[in-house]
Amino acid sequence: MLFDVLSVMPRSGYILDLQFSNGERRRFDMRPLLTMKPWNRIASPAVFRRVRVDYGTLVWPGEIDIAPETLYDDSIPLDESRADE
């Protein structure tokens, strides 16, 4: 099942906290992708923080995006008690 991303909060260390349309909050680690094209173009903290939600997925300047199903499948549930770490 496909869930849209509703909101994103970029964190230090190239971590993304995500809210999905099914109500789940999950954490996605972008670090493994930052050595691959096209994501290597967002491997600076300043560019990484420019992430936004567009039509249910994440996008960065330069038409760089990542599919919501990848974000969901490769993320971990966000423990509310540890959300600010």
Side-chain angles (χ1 to χ4, degrees):
M1 188 171 293
L2 178 62
F3 302 112
D4 286 343
V5 177
L6 299 179
S7 66
V8 60
M9 172 66 67
R11 301 279 183 192
S12 63
Y14 299 99
I15 302 295
L16 298 168
D17 287 353
L18 307 164
Q19 174 78 42
F20 286 90
S21 59
N22 67 347
E24 284 188 66
R25 294 186 66 220
R26 299 179 68 88
R27 182 164 282 170
F28 185 83
D29 185 351
M30 279 293 296
R31 289 175 294 188
L33 299 178
L34 295 177
T35 60
M36 296 183 270
K37 291 183 179 181
W39 301 290
N40 61 336
R41 297 181 0 222
I42 62 167
S44 79
V47 177
F48 179 76
R49 286 191 302 267
R50 294 180 61 193
V51 65
R52 62 183 172 83
V53 177
D54 191 17
Y55 295 103
T57 195
L58 300 186
V59 296
W60 286 267
E63 299 181 30
I64 298 166
D65 64 10
I66 187 166
E69 56 268 26
T70 299
L71 293 166
Y72 188 85
D73 291 343
D74 295 342
S75 62
I76 59 171
L78 188 57
D79 180 355
E80 296 299 323
S81 66
R82 300 178 60 188
D84 292 328
E85 291 181 3

